[in-house]
Each structure stands twice: as C-alpha cells, then as structure tokens.
Amino acid sequence: MEKTNHVVHDHYDAEGSKIGMWFFIFTELLLFGVLFVIYSVYRYMNSDAFHLAALELDTFIGAVNTIILLVSSMTIAMSTTALQKGNKPFTLLLSGITLLLGIVFLVNKYFEWGAKFDHGIYPGSAHLTETFSQGEILFFGLYFIMTGLHALHIIIGLVLIFVTMWKINSGKVHAERAALLENSGLYWHLVDIIWIFLFPLFYLIT
C-alpha cells in the first residue's frame, strides 16, 4: 500500500492580517465613537457641572500620561522600522521601552484613580451622590467608564507587545514576517489616539 506524504505549509498572509487588524480597529473606533457621542450630549446638557467636576482631575498627571503615550507610539513605530531592517536587538529594545512606558501609564492611572477613591469619588459612593450635582455625577461616571475601558485596551496592547517580543526573540517574527509587530503597532497607535481625545475632553475643559 502506497504511503502519502503530507507537507504542512506554513501559511503567511501579511496583507490579510493587516486588513483584519484594520477591521478590528474600525470596530473599536465605533465603540469609543458611541461613548464620545454620549459624552457630548451629556456635556451639552450639563455644561457648568462638567466644568466644575473637571476641577477634581489632576491635569498634570493627564498631561504626563499624554506625553508617555506619544513617546511610546514613536518607539513602537521605530521598532517596526528596525525589524524591517533586520536589526533584532534594537527592535527588542524599542519594543521593551514601549512596554515600560505603557506600564508607567497604568501606574500613574492607578495612583490617580486611587486618589479619587480616597476622596470618595467613585461610582455609587455616598460622598459622590450626596455632595455633587447630577451633572457632576454623570461626568465622573463617564470618566471612570471611558478611562477604565482605555486602561483595559492598554493592558491588551501590552500583552500583545510582550507576545510579539517573545516571538521576535525566538525568531518566529523577523524582517520577512513582520506583520505581527506591525499589527501590534497599529493597535498601540489606536490606544494613543483614543487617549488624545480623552485627555482634552476630561482634563482641559476647566
């Protein structure tokens, strides 16, 4: 009986992978777009209250986090260029810097949220409901929902970058197979763009 040898082909479709990522990014933009519309409606209806509530936020920390994400967006873009040029060590270094900056962003956000919780400003707290107006309560509700959802996306992005770094180090991702790093970069740019909108909406309306 004749034996048939089966050859397993390692299919790689860089263009298909990028198209898939762009579709995913589009759905994420729709999600945040709906939240931005809700924010706009409530802000129009409670303009003065939103301005008063924004005074409780730390603009300095928000500005620092904005700078952190802008720099991280640059480093992840540079890492993609380095990989395309075959410079594996520099690629890992730049990806590692991006990873570190993302963690610093989350640490800053942790302390910022912690300060709000210490002052009794969080959804459902007695201090919030008894001290602040309905418009201010809406502001903080949107603040925690939208920045919390953004922080979740940061965590997902960090996991994706970490997995990509592991595959680069093991040689599974390289100059001829750079789609995973490119897609990780696209996702990270999405996270940065969303924050660029969140920062002025919540921190700069005072």
Side-chain angles (χ1 to χ4, degrees):
M1 186 175 180
E2 184 179 352
K3 294 183 179 180
T4 305
N5 294 324
H6 296 281
V7 179
V8 178
H9 295 282
D10 185 12
H11 180 69
Y12 177 70
D13 184 1
E15 289 302 317
S17 177
K18 290 178 184 178
I19 291 173
M21 176 54 73
W22 277 113
F23 273 117
F24 175 74
I25 288 174
F26 178 71
T27 61
E28 292 293 286
L29 290 174
L30 285 178
L31 170 63
F32 278 95
V34 170
L35 291 173
F36 287 138
V37 170
I38 293 172
Y39 170 93
S40 299
V41 171
Y42 281 133
R43 179 177 173 179
Y44 176 77
M45 296 172 62
N46 305 274
S47 179
D48 292 338
F50 269 47
H51 281 267
L52 286 173
L55 293 173
E56 299 290 334
L57 301 184
D58 193 327
T59 304
F60 177 75
I61 292 181
V64 169
N65 270 345
T66 302
I67 294 171
I68 287 172
L69 285 187
L70 288 174
V71 174
S72 72
S73 190
M74 178 187 69
T75 54
I76 196 67
M78 291 172 63
S79 71
T80 303
T81 302
L83 182 64
Q84 291 169 345
K85 293 181 177 180
N87 194 335
K88 178 178 174 180
F90 197 42
T91 300
L92 291 172
L93 174 63
L94 291 167
S95 299
I97 292 173
T98 305
L99 201 67
L100 178 62
L101 290 172
I103 293 172
V104 171
F105 177 94
L106 290 177
V107 170
N108 285 341
K109 183 56 63 179
Y110 168 80
F111 283 112
E112 185 182 11
W113 272 36
K116 296 293 175 292
F117 275 67
D118 289 341
H119 288 88
I121 301 176
Y122 56 89
S125 70
H127 175 70
L128 187 65
T129 55
E130 294 172 2
T131 307
F132 294 89
S133 67
Q134 186 62 37
E136 290 171 294
I137 294 172
L138 285 171
F139 175 90
F140 287 114
L142 288 169
Y143 166 77
F144 282 109
I145 290 172
M146 295 175 74
T147 60
L149 188 59
H150 177 262
L152 176 61
H153 281 72
I154 288 280
I155 294 171
I156 294 172
L158 292 177
V159 172
L160 185 58
I161 292 171
F162 178 80
V163 171
T164 303
M165 289 178 64
W166 176 75
K167 291 196 173 186
I168 292 171
N169 189 56
S170 63
K172 295 179 180 179
V173 174
H174 46 79
E176 286 72 37
R177 299 176 67 96
L180 182 59
L181 180 58
E182 292 171 354
N183 287 339
S184 299
L186 285 174
Y187 184 85
W188 196 255
H189 294 322
L190 167 68
V191 169
D192 294 348
I193 290 171
I194 291 171
W195 179 257
I196 288 172
F197 282 95
L198 290 177
F199 175 59
L201 288 178
F202 286 104
Y203 293 85
L204 301 181
I205 65 171
T206 56

